[in-house]
Amino acid sequence: MTQKLWTNIEKYFIGMIGEDAVLKAALKDCKKAKLPPIGVAPNEGKFLQLVAKMVSARKILEVGTLGGYSTIWLARGLGEGGKLITLEYEKKHAEVAQKNIARAELENVVEIRVGDAKTTMPQLVNEGAGPFDLIFLDADKEGYTRYFEWSLNLSHNGTVIIADNVVRGGEVLKARSKDAGVPGIRRFNKAVTKEKRVSATPIQTVGSKGHDGFAVILVE
Ligand code: SAH
Ligand code: DHB
Ligand code: MG
């Protein structure tokens, strides 16, 4: 009952959110390619876009592309001449994403880098690709703490880091959860709490993707 209500409320608000045909087609192609249905919900996608606009983002980094659904939301929030780099481990996911990004006419704005973010993130640091105005962490949860540390090296004062899936239906409360992502998320939440260069808060969410949440982190 509760899940049904959350989903209905999400449907009720869809017009306000404005998920368009390009985003819908992207999701359809993700499904066709049998990618796991773990992209952000439309309201979270729109939220990411709004944050990009609020910080007047010209450079965005995303860690975990999947089929490019969140990528499109984010890239549409960039200012004129802005760029987004998105990191993805799975070649197949990157290929699906590339097509979805082309359909969204964002191929000149978005660069997908295929590889393990544990390699590609330090590469970004080495080549001086930063600082980014907005960073969205959404890849393997085990790697979150390291992605957070590299993110700090790719940030300036005022960079916003958003980390997805910090609640996991409440599994985050369990030190011995069956959810394989939880230990990584718990380490990450602790690392953020301890880090003096940032100020952060979790936002819990409900909707078509169940009960989860994301952390909003400001580098200051
Ligand atoms: N941001 C996407 C969802 C990402 S799902 C959206 O909301 O639409 C997580 C993605 O991270 C998957 O595509 C997975 O292949 C990728 N991933 C997992 N481990 C990774 C790693 N070590 N480096 C880069 N990407 C990784
Ligand atoms: C999973 C990953 C995600 O990024 C997400 O939003 C939901 C689920 C997962 O790996 O299970
Ligand atoms: Mg996620």
Side-chain angles (χ1 to χ4, degrees), residues 86-154:
T86 183
L87 310 179
E88 174 53 53
Y89 180 70
E90 299 286 346
K91 195 161 168 269
K92 182 186 157 188
H93 296 184
E95 281 166 10
V96 173
Q98 189 60 56
K99 285 190 189 134
N100 285 332
I101 286 158
R103 188 196 284 114
E105 298 180 359
L106 290 166
E107 63 267 69
N108 297 324
V109 173
V110 174
E111 180 193 341
I112 306 175
R113 294 204 182 180
V114 181
D116 185 344
K118 284 160 210 102
T119 308
T120 52
M121 266 190 109
Q123 267 167 14
L124 290 174
V125 177
N126 288 339
E127 70 190 57
F132 293 89
D133 308 302
L134 174 58
I135 301 176
F136 179 49
L137 302 182
D138 196 22
D140 60 298
K141 312 311 166 196
E142 196 268 324
Y144 265 36
T145 305
R146 271 175 290 173
Y147 303 149
F148 174 57
E149 283 158 8
W150 284 311
S151 293
L152 293 176
N153 291 327
L154 292 164

